[in-house]
Amino acid sequence: MMSRMILNVQDPELYTIIQKETKRQREVLEMIPSENYTSKAVREAVSSVFINKYAEGQVGKRFYQGNRVVDELEALCKKRALSLFGLSESAWEVNVQALSGSPANLAVVSALVLPGETIMAMYLPDGGHLSHGWQLPSKKVTLASKIWNVVFYKVDRKTRVFDYDAIEREARSVHPKLIISGGTAYPREINHKRMGEIAGHVGAYYLADIAHEAGLVASGLNTSPFPYADAVTMTTHKTLRGPRGALVFTRHTPKHVKSTQGTEDLAERVNQAIFPGLQGGPHEHTIAGIAVALAEAMQPSFKTYSRQVIVNAKILADAFVKARFDVVSGGTDKHLVLLDLRSVKTSAWIAAWALEYADIVVNRNTVPYETGSSFYPSGIRMGTPAVTTRGMKEKEMKAVARWMIEILGEVAQYEIPEDKGERQAYLRKVRSELSSNSRLRTIGKAVKTLTKQFPVP
Ligand code: DSN
């Protein structure tokens, strides 16, 4: 339970840092699509006494004593998770212990695929995720890429959406054991039915990672992958608006693959992969916060919120299309919009800084058929979950889009030199120019006026 504040007395240095971040989160337009503001109730649960407890094992089967109440907590969280997505306990297991999205994905892959076997995943610049085995031609970047043979599928060059016939051809040629969909920057809905069918045709498991759109799926506004997937992973802190954590859902009996490991329950394999395979004690305080967020997501008001998240993102996308920006895939079906800035000859690094000088926080992002690098990519990614939590709607989004378009106009033609030697000096000069740009300051003031009217929870 929250009680009288003592941190300011005991550790003023740390307290001041928290105050600064509180102020920052209150004053800026937080538009990174993977971020959100949790409720006070979620934060209260996360800072509860569950932070003190070790609880390796599963409900009713713990390795440490003293877990009677933890069992109650975890059982409640699991029940709520299954109920939110309309799943039956007899067909699906949910594990609520994965520490976040990347370990959740690693656990599922390690449970379903033997080292050296092939997995197929969305290409990172096309919106995939690092934890699906990202690697460069010259470097195995992730642990998954060191363990498994990873083959990526890409979006169509012209439409920048997936061509499912091409994915099927690829799957038939590489015979993956697992096909993964989902990621971080694909603005369109995934055709889970088709992905499930492709997995079925090649005898692969299908893992749908809905980290980004979990809340939209829970609200029935994006297609549910559950009828088609063998396993579904999601983080709990993006559109689902809980604390940072993850949920892993697994069918007891696989849909697409005849078990090669006897009659073993698939979900049991995933549970074992999470603990003891990958982690020790679960973070029960986070699980408490997730349980609160799941109950919040079952309220009718959450569906209204999710609907507004999508409406708001579509308003941004439409405004950028009208202003002749290159909106990847021409729009969005969910909470995020991806702009390819190569058409306006601006570096995403400079654009993101310019926006931040006006207190609009987005992230620079790779885009399909990327020609830059992950640190200096060609796109910016923006999203609406956090601003919608604050209550912003159509009118505010139109104003935000206008400001963003104006700021991007201010930095058009700023290009980062190819020469690495010249680059740092150039970037320092640009940041200094941006920090004193009067137009950015004026927009920053308007942003502060707007954010004052929409308090964070
Ligand atoms: N880093 C997260 C995102 O921003 O999408 C995914 O892990």
Side-chain angles (χ1 to χ4, degrees):
M1 287 300 121
M2 301 271 192
S3 55
R4 201 164 50 83
M5 295 280 278
I6 57 162
L7 192 61
N8 53 343
V9 178
Q10 180 181 316
D11 193 339
E13 194 178 5
L14 195 276
Y15 177 81
T16 305
I17 291 175
I18 295 176
Q19 290 311 301
K20 276 195 221 162
E21 177 60 8
T22 305
K23 182 171 181 300
R24 189 197 69 81
Q25 290 192 15
R26 221 174 15 226
E27 290 184 348
V28 303
L29 278 168
E30 188 51 79
M31 297 188 70
I32 293 175
S34 44
E35 296 183 4
N36 210 331
Y37 298 100
T38 61
S39 69
K40 270 184 155 173
V42 165
R43 283 167 52 197
E44 194 173 316
V46 172
S47 65
S48 70
V49 291
F50 284 112
I51 204 165
N52 300 324
K53 192 68 193 104
Y54 254 119
E56 277 113 325
Q58 294 293 326
V59 175
K61 286 181 252 165
R62 302 287 181 181
F63 287 78
Y64 287 32
Q65 296 311 114
N67 277 310
R68 188 167 39 83
V69 189
V70 162
D71 276 357
E72 248 181 77
L73 163 70
E74 226 178 289
L76 178 66
C77 188
K78 285 160 78 93
K79 188 170 131 215
R80 287 181 180 176
L82 290 173
S83 159
L84 180 64
F85 291 96
L87 305 173
S88 79
E89 215 178 312
S90 58
W92 287 88
E93 157 74 4
V94 57
N95 186 303
V96 299
Q97 299 182 347
L99 299 181
S100 205
S102 294
N105 287 330
L106 192 55
V108 174
V109 182
S110 71
L112 306 185
V113 190
L114 295 173
E117 289 184 332
T118 298
I119 61 179
M120 253 179 84
M122 257 164 83
Y123 192 52
L124 186 71
D126 295 2
H129 191 249
L130 276 172
S131 64
H132 301 170
W134 177 240
Q135 60 190 356
L136 296 167
S138 58
K139 193 175 170 197
K140 302 273 186 200
V141 179
T142 57
L143 182 59
S145 68
K146 291 176 187 161
I147 301 176
W148 296 285
N149 175 41
V150 190
V151 175
F152 295 111
Y153 54 91
K154 298 184 178 175
V155 293
D156 176 76
R157 188 180 272 276
K158 194 151 172 266
T159 61
R160 288 169 292 169
V161 296
F162 286 116
D163 169 348
Y164 292 91
D165 293 339
I167 297 175
E168 172 136 21
R169 280 195 298 278
E170 178 99 60
R172 286 186 188 276
S173 106
V174 303
H175 305 291
K177 279 285 156 62
L178 172 71
I179 300 179
I180 309 176
S181 73
T184 64
Y186 187 64
R188 296 299 184 175
E189 284 218 60
I190 303 277
N191 186 341
H192 293 293
K193 182 167 185 289
R194 186 74 203 276
M195 291 301 285
E197 284 164 2
I198 295 170
H201 292 159
V202 299
Y205 295 107
Y206 176 38
L207 163 62
D209 175 352
I210 58 164
H212 266 264
E213 58 271 49
L216 309 179
V217 172
S219 299
L221 301 170
N222 271 189
T223 313
S224 169
F226 286 100
Y228 316 107
D230 298 291
V232 176
T233 53
M234 63 188 71
T235 47
T236 46
H237 46 273
K238 299 184 174 93
T239 52
L240 207 47
R241 210 163 58 177
R244 310 188 75 81
L247 300 173
V248 180
F249 296 80
T250 317
R251 280 181 191 273
H252 293 292
T253 309
K255 195 171 169 72
H256 305 296
V257 178
K258 287 200 179 52
S259 178
T260 50
Q261 303 193 18
T263 53
E264 205 182 349
D265 184 324
L266 198 66
E268 182 52 31
R269 270 161 62 190
V270 171
N271 278 347
Q272 296 274 335
I274 293 172
F275 170 82
L278 201 59
Q279 316 177 165
H283 293 180
E284 295 296 337
H285 56 300
T286 302
I287 293 173
I290 293 172
V292 175
L294 292 170
E296 290 175 356
M298 286 183 222
Q299 302 306 313
S301 57
F302 188 79
K303 188 166 180 168
T304 309
Y305 159 72
S306 300
R307 196 175 286 122
Q308 191 68 47
V309 166
I310 298 176
V311 168
N312 285 352
K314 282 181 186 293
I315 285 176
L316 291 178
D318 287 351
F320 283 109
V321 168
K322 278 200 192 102
R324 300 187 176 279
F325 278 85
D326 183 6
V327 176
V328 172
S329 84
T332 183
D333 297 329
K334 40 198 193 189
H335 61 300
L336 70 88
V337 178
L338 185 63
L339 294 188
D340 185 332
L341 296 176
R342 285 175 291 194
S343 64
V344 285
K345 298 201 180 326
T346 301
S347 155
W349 192 97
I350 293 168
W353 274 111
L355 289 163
E356 187 164 359
Y357 281 118
D359 279 339
I360 300 174
V361 180
V362 302
N363 71 282
R364 53 196 204 275
N365 215 94
T366 47
V367 292
Y369 299 92
E370 179 60 68
T371 44
S373 65
S374 53
F375 204 77
Y376 297 110
S378 305
I380 53 170
R381 188 184 67 151
M382 66 194 82
T384 52
V387 290
T388 309
T389 291
R390 299 180 81 152
M392 294 187 196
K393 295 201 168 103
E394 288 85 332
K395 180 169 155 247
E396 291 74 34
M397 285 307 104
K398 283 182 186 159
V400 171
R402 263 198 320 276
W403 293 331
M404 292 180 86
I405 288 166
E406 191 178 335
I407 292 167
L408 293 175
E410 287 282 304
V411 293
Q413 312 294 334
Y414 272 83
E415 279 188 290
I416 295 182
E418 295 278 324
D419 185 302
K420 285 197 177 138
E422 292 171 31
R423 189 180 281 170
Q424 289 315 318
Y426 178 78
L427 294 178
R428 268 196 305 276
K429 180 174 96 54
V430 169
R431 277 193 64 178
S432 144
E433 275 174 33
L434 294 177
S435 67
S436 56
N437 179 308
S438 64
R439 198 55 210 138
L440 300 191
R441 280 198 192 164
T442 307
I443 295 176
K445 277 189 195 141
V447 166
K448 274 205 181 63
T449 307
L450 177 70
T451 52
K452 262 201 193 106
Q453 295 160 33
F454 292 90
V456 298

